[in-house]
Amino acid sequence: VERFKDKEKFYCPYSFDYRGRVYPIPAFLTPQDTDFGKALLNFYEEAFMDDDAEHWIRFQVATTYGLDKETITDRLHWTYENEWLIERIAIDPILYLSDWEEVEEPWQFLAACHEMYHCVIKRDKLSTGLPIAIDATCSGLQILAGLAKDKSTADLVNVTNSDEPQDAYKVIAETSKPNIPERLRPHWDRKKTKRTVMTIPYNAKPFSNRSYIREALKDDGIEVEKEELTQTVKAVRDAMHKIVPGPMSVMKWIEDEVSKAIKRGAQELKWVTPSGFVVSQKIMKKDWVTLELKLLGRCRLRVATEDSEEVDRSRHKAATAPNLIHSLDASLLCIAANRFDAPIALIHDSVLCRATDMSTLSTIVRETYMHLFADHDYLTDFAKQIGAESKPPIIGDLKPESVIESTYFFC
């Protein structure tokens, strides 16, 4: 802040990782900073206020307050009912610290209150540069639903239209509940399954599932036994096979085909994303040296030094589905960004722009998803690129063009 506070503007340089995902190079004062860091940023080129901008500023206030699971109508209604609260926080945030210090994203909420007060309530500011953010709903499952053309999963993760935001975590919690230990059932809800459901599309295995569920239960003061944990993890994974069959089948198929490719002698896997980015995945086993330490007693350590000449098949199997998903959500945002002619920022599976432009950007994101998964059968293209020996498990009952009508696809 000291470095840039007197500058008229500054730029944030980005780089691509090997999957095509976009990351800011600096550690601080970027759109991917902490809540506090994000709250300090505005777009340099502001846009004049209009009715659409007011809508999206109110959306940002309510969402950062913690109403991100509510309908858009309810979020906007909350801002109208609480204009007195927003106004006093904007005027004297120190005096009314207790009103905002424990909300979901306090610093971004404060910035949004300030913008709403000056642009909407008092109207002494005619333009806005506040970054408004919309996020994908469980983007891993959204991408896998598109690849498998699986309508039941698409419905659960807001790819298709609904009057209210759908909650895959809640549905899987309810489905798994009868099969977990009876004493845990009174405490079982979406929060207990969220991290497990969120990470399974990225190939999280039962071991990490166990730690996520154990920690979630511990937050409620519940200590869980080893056998109970094993039963609970199985119940959640079984529920996912039932509730999101397309994504689970696609991940299993990718693992099997990657294993076959490595057995055939492949040294690396390559695929071209819809944006034209070439992903090159090369994972080799490590060479190891053994060190013997004598300080504080005899200690033997194995230390990885460099890549060997042997392909690491198990890590390839584990990495390919997550990396394919990351490469496709990166393609989605990069293609959308190239079509969008206004200031924009990216955070993984989230886009940010000015309030005046959000309706346009939101439409472009939906159209891009439609083109990726309706106009093209990308999973079949991927199968050809890795030399798959079997056809991919495409269910085929989803019409991805229905995403155009989805209110909560990115929200």
Side-chain angles (χ1 to χ4, degrees):
V1 174
E2 284 294 327
R3 180 177 178 183
F4 293 117
K5 68 177 183 178
D6 297 323
K7 303 292 184 184
E8 181 184 7
K9 60 183 175 182
F10 68 91
Y11 295 88
C12 178
Y14 281 78
S15 65
F16 293 89
D17 72 2
Y18 72 98
R19 302 159 303 185
R21 266 199 158 190
V22 182
Y23 293 89
I25 295 172
F28 303 104
L29 283 180
T30 78
Q32 293 186 24
D33 206 334
T34 62
D35 173 52
F36 179 71
K38 292 175 187 176
L40 295 173
L41 300 178
N42 273 349
F43 287 112
Y44 171 72
E45 296 178 7
E46 295 204 341
F48 284 109
M49 285 291 299
D50 56 21
D51 290 342
D52 205 35
E54 178 178 336
H55 168 98
W56 286 107
I57 288 174
R58 289 182 180 275
F59 168 91
Q60 180 75 1
V61 170
T63 301
T64 53
Y65 179 79
L67 302 178
D68 52 308
K69 301 297 182 293
E70 305 299 323
T71 67
I72 291 179
T73 300
D74 287 345
R75 295 186 219 183
L76 298 182
H77 178 73
W78 183 89
T79 64
Y80 284 103
E81 290 292 308
N82 289 276
E83 280 193 4
W84 60 272
L85 174 68
I86 294 163
E87 181 172 344
R88 76 183 194 178
I89 289 172
I91 292 173
D92 197 335
I94 302 301
L95 179 62
Y96 296 107
L97 179 63
S98 60
D99 287 339
W100 61 274
E101 64 180 337
E102 294 191 18
V103 306
E104 187 74 18
E105 297 174 293
W107 294 105
Q108 289 178 83
F109 175 69
L110 177 60
C113 287
H114 182 273
E115 195 80 349
M116 180 173 160
Y117 173 67
H118 288 287
C119 293
V120 176
I121 299 174
K122 191 176 181 182
R123 296 181 182 269
D124 61 347
K125 187 171 183 284
L126 301 179
S127 62
T128 179
L130 179 74
I132 308 295
I134 55 173
D135 301 335
T137 303
C138 202
S139 63
L141 288 177
Q142 285 183 334
I143 296 293
L144 289 167
L147 289 173
K149 299 190 186 300
D150 175 7
K151 186 177 184 303
S152 64
T153 298
D155 290 343
L156 271 181
V157 291
N158 298 306
V159 170
T160 56
N161 196 31
S162 61
D163 293 334
E164 297 182 355
Q166 300 301 298
D167 191 341
Y169 309 124
K170 181 179 178 180
V171 173
I172 290 169
E174 291 173 348
T175 303
S176 60
K177 190 173 184 176
N179 298 313
I180 69 171
E182 188 172 354
R183 81 175 185 94
L184 300 180
R185 293 173 195 171
H187 310 280
W188 196 244
D189 56 24
R190 69 181 302 278
K191 290 182 179 179
K192 309 302 184 299
T193 65
K194 183 176 180 179
R195 288 192 71 188
T196 296
V197 174
M198 187 187 298
T199 56
I200 282 178
Y202 300 101
N203 221 16
K205 297 303 182 185
F207 178 79
S208 59
N209 300 160
R210 293 170 69 90
S211 63
Y212 295 150
I213 291 171
R214 181 191 292 110
E215 289 303 314
L217 287 166
K218 187 179 291 185
D219 288 343
D220 279 7
I222 307 299
E223 293 291 340
V224 60
E225 300 294 331
K226 181 178 179 181
E227 294 76 14
E228 292 177 316
L229 200 54
T230 299
Q231 180 182 340
T232 303
V233 168
K234 184 179 185 304
V236 173
R237 295 183 74 95
D238 287 348
M240 288 195 68
H241 280 283
K242 181 179 180 180
I243 301 299
V244 290
M248 300 301 282
S249 297
V250 168
M251 288 187 291
K252 178 65 167 59
W253 173 82
I254 289 173
E255 279 202 358
D256 292 343
E257 290 300 333
V258 166
S259 181
K260 293 174 186 176
I262 302 302
K263 281 184 178 179
R264 290 194 303 268
Q267 292 289 305
E268 62 181 332
L269 297 177
K270 284 190 176 183
W271 62 90
V272 181
T273 71
S275 66
F277 192 93
V278 180
V279 179
S280 179
Q281 179 179 286
K282 186 173 184 178
I283 306 176
M284 313 301 285
K285 290 185 176 180
K286 298 292 184 182
D287 281 331
W288 297 85
V289 296
T290 300
L291 304 178
E292 289 194 14
L293 308 180
K294 296 182 179 178
L295 183 64
L296 300 178
R298 190 161 180 255
C299 178
R300 180 170 291 173
L301 300 175
R302 291 183 72 232
V303 180
T305 55
E306 58 187 15
D307 287 343
S308 72
E309 298 298 319
E310 185 179 356
V311 177
D312 194 326
R313 187 175 67 175
S314 63
R315 287 174 61 208
H316 263 293
K317 286 173 61 179
T320 305
N323 285 339
L324 176 63
I325 293 169
H326 286 315
S327 72
L328 290 175
D329 67 34
S331 265
L332 172 64
L333 295 192
C334 287
I335 292 171
N338 279 327
R339 289 183 56 198
F340 182 64
D341 188 23
I344 189 172
L346 307 176
I347 309 176
H348 305 313
D349 56 358
S350 172
V351 288
L352 300 88
C353 70
R354 302 173 305 193
T356 50
D357 306 314
M358 182 52 80
S359 293
T360 299
L361 179 56
S362 180
T363 299
I364 288 174
V365 169
R366 286 160 171 77
E367 289 175 349
T368 304
Y369 182 94
M370 181 190 73
H371 293 314
L372 290 186
F373 299 110
D375 296 347
H376 302 92
D377 177 5
Y378 186 78
L379 193 57
T380 298
D381 291 343
F382 175 76
K384 292 176 182 176
Q385 292 183 72
I386 66 169
E389 297 176 9
S390 62
K391 291 183 178 180
I394 297 172
I395 293 175
D397 61 354
L398 169 68
K399 295 181 178 179
E401 57 268 27
S402 60
V403 74
I404 294 297
E405 305 299 327
S406 173
T407 302
Y408 298 100
F409 175 60
F410 266 66
C411 185

Coordinates of all heavy atoms in Angstrom, one line a residue, residues 110-171:
L110 N -17.4 -4.1 3.8 CA -17.2 -2.7 4.1 C -17.0 -1.9 2.8 O -17.6 -0.8 2.7 CB -16.0 -2.5 5.1 CG -15.6 -1.0 5.4 CD1 -16.8 -0.3 6.1 CD2 -14.4 -1.0 6.3
A111 N -16.2 -2.4 1.9 CA -15.9 -1.7 0.7 C -17.2 -1.6 -0.2 O -17.5 -0.5 -0.8 CB -14.9 -2.4 -0.2
A112 N -18.0 -2.6 -0.1 CA -19.3 -2.6 -0.9 C -20.3 -1.7 -0.2 O -21.0 -1.0 -1.0 CB -19.9 -4.1 -0.9
C113 N -20.3 -1.6 1.1 CA -21.2 -0.6 1.8 C -20.8 0.8 1.4 O -21.7 1.6 1.2 CB -21.1 -0.8 3.3 SG -21.9 -2.3 3.9
H114 N -19.5 1.0 1.4 CA -19.0 2.4 1.0 C -19.5 2.7 -0.4 O -20.0 3.9 -0.6 CB -17.5 2.4 1.1 CG -16.9 3.7 0.8 ND1 -16.6 4.1 -0.5 CD2 -16.6 4.8 1.7 CE1 -16.0 5.3 -0.4 NE2 -16.0 5.7 0.8
E115 N -19.4 1.8 -1.3 CA -19.7 2.1 -2.7 C -21.3 2.3 -2.8 O -21.7 3.2 -3.5 CB -19.3 0.9 -3.6 CG -19.3 1.2 -5.1 CD -18.1 2.1 -5.5 OE1 -17.3 2.6 -4.7 OE2 -17.9 2.2 -6.8
M116 N -22.0 1.4 -2.1 CA -23.5 1.5 -2.2 C -24.0 2.9 -1.6 O -24.9 3.5 -2.2 CB -24.1 0.4 -1.5 CG -25.7 0.4 -1.6 SD -26.5 -1.0 -1.0 CE -28.1 -0.4 -0.6
Y117 N -23.3 3.3 -0.5 CA -23.7 4.5 0.1 C -23.6 5.7 -0.8 O -24.5 6.5 -1.0 CB -23.0 4.7 1.4 CG -23.2 6.1 2.0 CD1 -24.5 6.4 2.6 CD2 -22.2 7.0 2.1 CE1 -24.7 7.7 3.1 CE2 -22.4 8.3 2.6 CZ -23.7 8.6 3.2 OH -23.9 9.8 3.7
H118 N -22.4 5.8 -1.4 CA -22.1 6.9 -2.3 C -22.7 6.9 -3.6 O -23.1 7.9 -4.2 CB -20.6 7.1 -2.4 CG -19.9 7.6 -1.1 ND1 -20.0 8.9 -0.7 CD2 -19.2 6.9 -0.2 CE1 -19.4 9.0 0.5 NE2 -18.8 7.8 0.8
C119 N -22.9 5.7 -4.2 CA -23.4 5.5 -5.6 C -24.9 5.3 -5.6 O -25.6 5.7 -6.6 CB -22.8 4.4 -6.3 SG -21.0 4.6 -6.6
V120 N -25.5 4.8 -4.5 CA -26.9 4.4 -4.6 C -27.8 5.2 -3.6 O -28.9 5.7 -3.9 CB -27.1 2.9 -4.3 CG1 -28.5 2.5 -4.2 CG2 -26.3 2.1 -5.3
I121 N -27.3 5.4 -2.3 CA -28.1 6.0 -1.3 C -27.9 7.6 -1.4 O -28.8 8.3 -1.6 CB -27.7 5.5 0.1 CG1 -28.0 4.0 0.2 CG2 -28.4 6.2 1.2 CD1 -27.5 3.3 1.4
K122 N -26.7 8.0 -1.1 CA -26.4 9.5 -1.2 C -26.3 10.0 -2.6 O -26.6 11.2 -2.8 CB -25.1 9.8 -0.4 CG -24.9 11.3 -0.1 CD -23.7 11.5 0.7 CE -23.5 13.0 1.0 NZ -22.2 13.2 1.8
R123 N -25.8 9.2 -3.5 CA -25.7 9.6 -4.9 C -24.8 10.8 -5.1 O -25.0 11.6 -6.0 CB -27.0 9.8 -5.6 CG -27.9 8.5 -5.6 CD -29.2 8.8 -6.3 NE -30.1 7.6 -6.2 CZ -30.1 6.7 -7.2 NH1 -29.4 6.8 -8.2 NH2 -30.9 5.6 -7.0
D124 N -23.7 10.9 -4.4 CA -22.7 11.9 -4.6 C -21.5 11.4 -5.4 O -20.6 12.1 -5.6 CB -22.2 12.5 -3.3 CG -21.5 11.5 -2.4 OD1 -21.7 10.3 -2.7 OD2 -20.9 11.9 -1.4
K125 N -21.6 10.2 -5.9 CA -20.6 9.6 -6.8 C -21.4 9.0 -7.9 O -22.3 8.2 -7.8 CB -19.9 8.5 -6.0 CG -18.7 7.9 -6.7 CD -17.9 7.0 -5.7 CE -16.7 6.4 -6.4 NZ -17.0 5.3 -7.3
L126 N -21.0 9.4 -9.2 CA -21.7 9.0 -10.4 C -21.2 7.8 -11.1 O -21.8 7.3 -12.0 CB -21.8 10.2 -11.3 CG -22.4 11.5 -10.7 CD1 -22.4 12.6 -11.8 CD2 -23.8 11.2 -10.3
S127 N -20.0 7.4 -10.7 CA -19.4 6.2 -11.4 C -18.9 5.2 -10.4 O -18.8 5.5 -9.2 CB -18.2 6.7 -12.2 OG -17.2 7.3 -11.4
T128 N -18.7 4.0 -10.8 CA -18.3 2.9 -9.9 C -17.1 2.1 -10.5 O -17.1 1.8 -11.7 CB -19.5 2.0 -9.6 OG1 -19.0 0.9 -8.8 CG2 -20.0 1.3 -10.9
G129 N -16.2 1.8 -9.6 CA -15.1 0.9 -10.0 C -14.9 -0.3 -9.1 O -14.0 -1.0 -9.2
L130 N -15.9 -0.5 -8.3 CA -15.9 -1.6 -7.3 C -15.9 -3.0 -8.1 O -16.8 -3.2 -8.9 CB -17.1 -1.6 -6.4 CG -17.2 -2.7 -5.3 CD1 -16.1 -2.5 -4.2 CD2 -18.6 -2.7 -4.7
P131 N -15.0 -3.9 -7.8 CA -15.0 -5.2 -8.4 C -16.2 -6.0 -7.9 O -16.3 -6.2 -6.6 CB -13.7 -5.8 -8.1 CG -12.8 -4.7 -7.7 CD -13.7 -3.7 -7.0
I132 N -17.1 -6.5 -8.7 CA -18.2 -7.3 -8.4 C -17.8 -8.8 -8.7 O -17.3 -9.0 -9.9 CB -19.5 -6.9 -9.1 CG1 -19.8 -5.5 -8.9 CG2 -20.7 -7.8 -8.6 CD1 -20.1 -5.0 -7.5
A133 N -18.0 -9.7 -7.8 CA -17.6 -11.1 -8.1 C -18.7 -12.0 -8.2 O -19.7 -12.0 -7.5 CB -16.6 -11.6 -7.0
I134 N -18.7 -12.9 -9.2 CA -19.6 -14.1 -9.3 C -18.8 -15.3 -9.4 O -17.7 -15.4 -10.0 CB -20.6 -14.0 -10.5 CG1 -19.9 -13.8 -11.8 CG2 -21.6 -12.8 -10.2 CD1 -20.8 -13.9 -13.0
D135 N -19.2 -16.4 -8.7 CA -18.4 -17.6 -8.6 C -19.2 -18.8 -9.2 O -20.5 -18.8 -9.1 CB -18.1 -17.9 -7.1 CG -17.4 -16.8 -6.4 OD1 -16.7 -16.1 -7.1 OD2 -17.5 -16.7 -5.2
A136 N -18.5 -19.8 -9.7 CA -19.1 -21.0 -10.1 C -19.6 -21.8 -8.9 O -19.1 -21.7 -7.8 CB -18.1 -21.9 -10.9
T137 N -20.7 -22.6 -9.1 CA -21.2 -23.4 -8.1 C -20.6 -24.8 -8.2 O -20.9 -25.5 -9.1 CB -22.7 -23.6 -8.2 OG1 -23.3 -22.3 -8.2 CG2 -23.3 -24.4 -7.1
C138 N -19.6 -25.1 -7.3 CA -19.0 -26.4 -7.3 C -18.5 -26.7 -8.7 O -18.9 -27.6 -9.4 CB -20.0 -27.5 -6.9 SG -19.2 -29.0 -6.3
S139 N -17.5 -25.9 -9.2 CA -17.1 -25.9 -10.6 C -16.6 -27.3 -11.1 O -16.8 -27.6 -12.3 CB -16.0 -24.9 -10.8 OG -14.8 -25.2 -10.1
G140 N -16.0 -28.1 -10.2 CA -15.5 -29.4 -10.6 C -16.7 -30.3 -11.1 O -16.6 -30.9 -12.2
L141 N -17.7 -30.3 -10.3 CA -18.9 -31.0 -10.8 C -19.6 -30.4 -12.0 O -20.2 -31.1 -12.8 CB -19.9 -31.2 -9.6 CG -19.5 -32.1 -8.5 CD1 -20.5 -32.1 -7.3 CD2 -19.3 -33.6 -9.0
Q142 N -19.6 -29.1 -12.1 CA -20.1 -28.4 -13.3 C -19.4 -28.9 -14.5 O -20.1 -29.2 -15.5 CB -20.1 -26.9 -13.1 CG -21.1 -26.3 -12.2 CD -21.0 -24.8 -12.1 OE1 -20.0 -24.2 -12.4 NE2 -22.1 -24.2 -11.7
I143 N -18.1 -28.9 -14.5 CA -17.3 -29.3 -15.7 C -17.6 -30.8 -16.0 O -17.8 -31.2 -17.1 CB -15.8 -29.1 -15.4 CG1 -15.5 -27.6 -15.3 CG2 -15.0 -29.7 -16.5 CD1 -15.7 -26.7 -16.5
L144 N -17.5 -31.6 -14.9 CA -17.8 -33.1 -15.2 C -19.2 -33.4 -15.7 O -19.4 -34.3 -16.5 CB -17.5 -33.8 -13.9 CG -16.0 -33.9 -13.5 CD1 -15.9 -34.4 -12.0 CD2 -15.2 -34.8 -14.4
A145 N -20.2 -32.6 -15.2 CA -21.5 -32.7 -15.7 C -21.6 -32.4 -17.2 O -22.3 -33.1 -17.9 CB -22.5 -31.8 -14.9
G146 N -20.9 -31.4 -17.6 CA -20.8 -31.1 -19.0 C -20.1 -32.1 -19.8 O -20.6 -32.5 -20.9
L147 N -19.0 -32.7 -19.3 CA -18.3 -33.7 -20.0 C -19.1 -35.0 -20.2 O -19.2 -35.6 -21.3 CB -17.0 -34.1 -19.3 CG -15.9 -33.0 -19.3 CD1 -14.7 -33.4 -18.4 CD2 -15.4 -32.8 -20.7
A148 N -19.9 -35.3 -19.1 CA -20.7 -36.6 -19.2 C -22.1 -36.3 -19.7 O -22.8 -37.2 -19.9 CB -20.8 -37.1 -17.8
K149 N -22.4 -35.0 -19.9 CA -23.8 -34.6 -20.3 C -24.8 -35.3 -19.4 O -25.7 -35.9 -19.8 CB -24.0 -35.0 -21.8 CG -23.1 -34.3 -22.8 CD -23.5 -34.5 -24.2 CE -22.4 -33.9 -25.2 NZ -22.2 -32.5 -25.0
D150 N -24.5 -35.1 -18.1 CA -25.3 -35.7 -17.0 C -26.3 -34.7 -16.4 O -25.9 -33.8 -15.7 CB -24.3 -36.2 -16.0 CG -25.0 -36.8 -14.8 OD1 -26.3 -36.9 -14.8 OD2 -24.3 -37.1 -13.8
K151 N -27.6 -34.8 -16.8 CA -28.5 -33.8 -16.4 C -28.8 -33.8 -14.9 O -28.9 -32.8 -14.2 CB -29.9 -34.0 -17.1 CG -30.9 -32.9 -16.8 CD -32.2 -33.2 -17.6 CE -33.2 -32.0 -17.3 NZ -33.5 -31.8 -15.9
S152 N -28.8 -35.0 -14.2 CA -29.1 -35.0 -12.8 C -28.0 -34.3 -12.0 O -28.3 -33.5 -11.1 CB -29.2 -36.5 -12.3 OG -27.9 -37.1 -12.5
T153 N -26.7 -34.4 -12.4 CA -25.7 -33.6 -11.7 C -25.8 -32.2 -12.1 O -25.6 -31.3 -11.2 CB -24.3 -34.2 -12.2 OG1 -24.2 -35.5 -11.7 CG2 -23.2 -33.4 -11.5
A154 N -26.0 -31.9 -13.4 CA -26.1 -30.5 -13.8 C -27.2 -29.7 -13.0 O -27.1 -28.6 -12.6 CB -26.4 -30.4 -15.3
D155 N -28.3 -30.4 -12.8 CA -29.4 -29.8 -12.0 C -28.9 -29.5 -10.6 O -29.3 -28.4 -10.0 CB -30.6 -30.8 -11.9 CG -31.3 -31.0 -13.2 OD1 -31.2 -30.1 -14.1 OD2 -32.1 -31.9 -13.3
L156 N -28.1 -30.3 -10.0 CA -27.7 -30.1 -8.6 C -26.7 -29.0 -8.4 O -26.5 -28.5 -7.4 CB -27.0 -31.4 -8.1 CG -27.9 -32.5 -7.4 CD1 -27.1 -33.6 -7.0 CD2 -28.7 -31.8 -6.2
V157 N -25.9 -28.7 -9.5 CA -24.9 -27.7 -9.4 C -25.2 -26.4 -10.2 O -24.3 -25.7 -10.7 CB -23.5 -28.2 -9.8 CG1 -23.0 -29.2 -8.7 CG2 -23.5 -28.9 -11.2
N158 N -26.5 -26.2 -10.5 CA -27.0 -25.0 -11.1 C -26.6 -24.7 -12.5 O -26.6 -23.6 -12.9 CB -26.6 -23.8 -10.2 CG -27.2 -23.9 -8.8 OD1 -28.4 -24.0 -8.6 ND2 -26.3 -23.8 -7.8
V159 N -26.3 -25.8 -13.2 CA -26.0 -25.6 -14.7 C -27.3 -25.4 -15.4 O -27.4 -24.6 -16.3 CB -25.3 -26.9 -15.3 CG1 -25.3 -26.8 -16.8 CG2 -23.9 -27.0 -14.7
T160 N -28.4 -26.0 -14.9 CA -29.7 -25.8 -15.4 C -30.5 -24.8 -14.5 O -30.1 -24.5 -13.4 CB -30.5 -27.1 -15.5 OG1 -30.6 -27.7 -14.3 CG2 -29.8 -28.0 -16.5
N161 N -31.6 -24.3 -15.1 CA -32.3 -23.2 -14.4 C -33.2 -23.7 -13.2 O -33.7 -24.8 -13.3 CB -33.2 -22.4 -15.3 CG -33.6 -21.1 -14.7 OD1 -32.9 -20.5 -13.9 ND2 -34.8 -20.6 -15.1
S162 N -33.3 -23.0 -12.2 CA -34.2 -23.3 -11.0 C -34.5 -22.0 -10.3 O -33.8 -21.0 -10.5 CB -33.5 -24.2 -10.0 OG -32.3 -23.7 -9.5
D163 N -35.6 -22.0 -9.6 CA -36.0 -20.8 -8.9 C -35.1 -20.4 -7.7 O -35.0 -19.2 -7.4 CB -37.5 -20.9 -8.4 CG -38.5 -21.1 -9.5 OD1 -38.2 -20.5 -10.6 OD2 -39.5 -21.7 -9.3
E164 N -34.5 -21.4 -7.1 CA -33.6 -21.2 -6.0 C -32.3 -21.9 -6.3 O -32.2 -22.9 -7.0 CB -34.2 -21.8 -4.7 CG -35.5 -21.1 -4.3 CD -36.0 -21.7 -3.0 OE1 -35.4 -22.7 -2.5 OE2 -37.0 -21.1 -2.5
P165 N -31.2 -21.4 -5.7 CA -29.9 -22.1 -5.9 C -29.9 -23.5 -5.3 O -30.4 -23.7 -4.2 CB -28.9 -21.2 -5.1 CG -29.7 -20.4 -4.2 CD -31.0 -20.2 -4.8
Q166 N -29.4 -24.4 -6.1 CA -29.4 -25.8 -5.6 C -28.2 -26.1 -4.8 O -27.2 -25.4 -4.9 CB -29.4 -26.8 -6.8 CG -30.7 -26.6 -7.7 CD -32.0 -26.9 -6.9 OE1 -32.2 -28.0 -6.4 NE2 -32.8 -25.8 -6.8
D167 N -28.2 -27.1 -4.0 CA -27.1 -27.3 -3.0 C -26.7 -28.8 -3.0 O -27.3 -29.7 -2.4 CB -27.6 -26.9 -1.6 CG -26.4 -26.9 -0.6 OD1 -25.4 -27.5 -0.9 OD2 -26.6 -26.3 0.5
A168 N -25.7 -29.2 -3.8 CA -25.3 -30.5 -4.0 C -24.8 -31.1 -2.6 O -25.0 -32.3 -2.3 CB -24.2 -30.7 -5.0
Y169 N -24.1 -30.2 -1.8 CA -23.6 -30.7 -0.5 C -24.7 -31.1 0.4 O -24.6 -32.2 1.1 CB -22.8 -29.6 0.1 CG -21.8 -28.9 -0.8 CD1 -21.8 -27.5 -1.0 CD2 -20.8 -29.7 -1.4 CE1 -20.8 -26.9 -1.8 CE2 -19.8 -29.1 -2.2 CZ -19.9 -27.7 -2.4 OH -18.9 -27.1 -3.2
K170 N -25.8 -30.4 0.4 CA -26.9 -30.7 1.2 C -27.6 -32.0 0.8 O -27.9 -32.9 1.6 CB -27.9 -29.6 1.2 CG -29.2 -29.8 2.1 CD -30.1 -28.7 2.0 CE -31.4 -28.9 2.9 NZ -32.3 -27.8 2.8
V171 N -27.8 -32.2 -0.5 CA -28.4 -33.4 -1.0 C -27.6 -34.7 -0.7 O -28.1 -35.7 -0.3 CB -28.6 -33.3 -2.6 CG1 -29.1 -34.6 -3.1 CG2 -29.6 -32.2 -2.9

